[in-house]
Amino acid sequence: MFKLLSKISFVCFAAALVFSSCSDDDDASDSNADAKYVILSAAEKWETGYFTSFSSFPSGTVNDISAQSLQVNSSFGFRTYKNWIFSRTNAAGDAGLQKYSVNEDGSLKDEGFIVGSSQFLVVDATTGFYLDETRSTMKIQTFNPTTMQRTGDIDLTSLRDESFEYQVVGKHTLAAKGGKLYAGISYGTISGQGFGDDQVDYIEFAVIDIASRTLDKTIKYEDGGLNSIGWGSSGNKMWTIGDDGALYLYSTGLTNGFVKSSVIRIKKDETDFDKTWRLDAHEIQPGSSIATGLVKNGKIYIELPSEPLEAGFGNLQNFIYDYYAVDLSTKVATKITGMPKHHYAYANEQAITEIDGKIYFWVRNADENIDGYYSLNSNGTSATQAFNIDHDGFMWGFAKLAD
């Protein structure tokens, strides 16, 4: 499984490695007018799939393909910025940064493609960053998200450490907070290319001033044996900005056989790691992996397995996961009831998402014919199904587009 994930990291975007009418509503052409929501689905895990739009929040049992759906050759999650959709492959499956918008009839419009982009970040309508290793592993490329044109780069070659045969900046994490760009630094091997081949026992980030495009400093997290943040191969960025203004970063455990999976953070108005706080998922459930989360009202919502994950990835994709609300202060975890155990949320950037003030959870359990979203009830400890996709495939994202 580890080899599969690593291979997909490089190959799936060129070859393939992360919706539509309601049953009680009007037909697809009517429901797609003035679309505001989008779903990415796939019949086979990360392969050929469809972007499908909706004019209103889906409910009941929903078809995942309509006359306006866009077929894509690779389905590995997506991200959004306001009313734009960003994917790490174009419709043909070529690796790069693809931008879409939604037409009035609900179909998707190609808004531009940047060849060679892998990890990326959209900060605002005119400010974006991405990694293109064919240009350099030590330079962050800049682009204009409106025009989808490259505008230059940020040269970080001063950070190059020749004692490592492979070093890359921004492969697994590019995040922004408070006018600063945070780019993860990875030290690996030529063969591993930065996926699970970490050569250091700490986490290191470059902190870059966005306005001046200059390096401020580097920061290290050297406590507790963590050496990686994120896993930069899918649409899932594996970090979030909480409602407290802090940047929460996920160490997945994929690189250490799930012995340790943790969340660390950089607090609001600060530019270094908060050494006073850390959430260790492996202390709640041994053999865990955190790949998704949401922070709101003093709680972090995460996904945890109900049994220890195997170092060889044998049960990683079994239906063994539950969602939890964890108190940020006490670290007390409360399982959210009302949902069946589900599939690992690896590539789904919106597996835990907030829409119009409500928190939603993605749940896929093929044994129970469920692939949909559940909404958190007002009691904060249970959830109710919002909609379900009528298929036996995978849903790799659900988002509301906003102006």
Side-chain angles (χ1 to χ4, degrees), residues 34-340:
D34 191 27
K36 294 181 180 179
Y37 301 85
V38 66
I39 289 174
L40 174 62
S41 66
E44 297 292 336
K45 199 161 293 175
W46 300 306
E47 299 179 7
T48 300
Y50 296 88
F51 280 105
T52 301
S53 63
F54 300 79
S55 62
S56 59
F57 196 103
S59 64
T61 301
V62 181
N63 295 324
D64 66 335
I65 303 173
S66 74
Q68 287 78 24
S69 295
L70 173 68
Q71 181 175 319
V72 294
N73 277 355
S74 176
S75 304
F76 207 38
F78 68 95
R79 305 176 196 172
T80 63
Y81 176 77
K82 294 190 174 180
N83 61 351
W84 297 333
I85 300 161
F86 292 91
S87 174
R88 289 183 52 169
T89 58
N90 62 15
D94 302 317
L97 180 56
Q98 176 68 55
K99 174 186 170 185
Y100 298 109
S101 63
V102 178
N103 294 314
E104 289 187 4
D105 68 351
S107 61
L108 269 70
K109 177 182 179 182
D110 184 338
E111 292 277 10
F113 181 67
I114 298 177
V115 177
S117 166
S118 55
Q119 187 61 268
F120 73 94
L121 173 68
V122 176
V123 177
D124 58 38
T126 58
T127 307
F129 304 96
Y130 68 94
L131 175 67
D132 181 349
E133 292 193 55
T134 63
R135 291 181 179 271
S136 175
T137 62
M138 298 302 295
K139 293 182 180 180
I140 302 298
Q141 308 301 314
T142 63
F143 77 105
N144 183 321
T146 296
T147 63
M148 289 297 286
Q149 296 297 311
R150 177 180 176 270
T151 56
D153 61 45
I154 300 172
D155 190 343
L156 301 173
T157 54
S158 63
L159 300 178
R160 183 75 175 98
D161 186 338
E162 298 294 342
S163 64
F164 297 95
E165 63 181 53
Y166 177 85
Q167 184 181 355
V168 63
V169 181
K171 185 160 194 168
H172 296 296
T173 307
L174 286 174
K177 178 182 72 72
K180 305 297 182 183
L181 173 67
Y182 296 86
I185 305 174
S186 300
Y187 301 90
T189 62
I190 296 298
S191 59
Q193 296 284 294
F195 283 96
D197 57 352
D198 300 276
Q199 302 296 295
V200 298
D201 59 358
Y202 54 82
I203 292 165
E204 186 175 15
F205 273 64
V207 182
I208 300 155
D209 183 73
I210 292 176
S212 65
R213 305 291 201 268
T214 57
L215 176 68
D216 279 355
K217 60 182 178 180
T218 61
I219 56 176
K220 286 185 179 181
Y221 191 93
E222 301 177 275
D223 180 41
L226 303 180
N227 63 358
S228 68
I229 293 293
W231 187 272
S233 61
S234 73
N236 183 5
K237 62 184 188 294
M238 299 188 184
W239 58 264
T240 189
I241 299 292
D243 64 350
D244 56 4
L247 169 60
Y248 289 81
L249 302 152
Y250 308 136
S251 183
T252 64
L254 286 163
T255 64
N256 60 35
F258 308 112
V259 173
K260 291 185 178 181
S261 179
S262 303
V263 183
I264 60 176
R265 71 183 180 186
I266 302 172
K267 296 176 71 174
K268 181 181 180 181
D269 299 327
E270 296 184 8
T271 58
D272 203 348
F273 296 112
D274 177 7
K275 305 296 176 57
T276 69
W277 184 93
R278 184 169 102 189
L279 176 65
D280 289 321
H282 49 275
E283 292 188 354
I284 302 172
Q285 165 62 64
S288 289
S289 178
I290 295 181
T292 184
L294 185 146
V295 176
K296 184 176 181 180
N297 295 334
K299 292 181 172 56
I300 181 168
Y301 296 88
I302 58 175
E303 173 194 59
L304 297 174
S306 57
E307 62 187 53
L309 296 175
E310 299 170 5
F313 301 92
N315 62 346
L316 183 64
Q317 298 182 81
N318 292 353
F319 305 131
I320 58 174
Y321 298 85
D322 295 297
Y323 288 112
Y324 288 80
V326 183
D327 187 278
L328 290 174
S329 298
T330 66
K331 313 292 177 62
V332 172
T334 302
K335 184 167 74 172
I336 300 171
T337 62
M339 296 175 280

Side-chain angles (χ1 to χ4, degrees), residues 357-376:
K358 296 192 69 174
I359 296 174
Y360 293 88
F361 305 93
W362 173 53
V363 174
R364 179 184 185 273
N365 185 314
D367 294 340
E368 299 188 28
N369 297 315
I370 292 174
D371 190 16
Y373 273 77
Y374 285 67
S375 64
L376 183 67

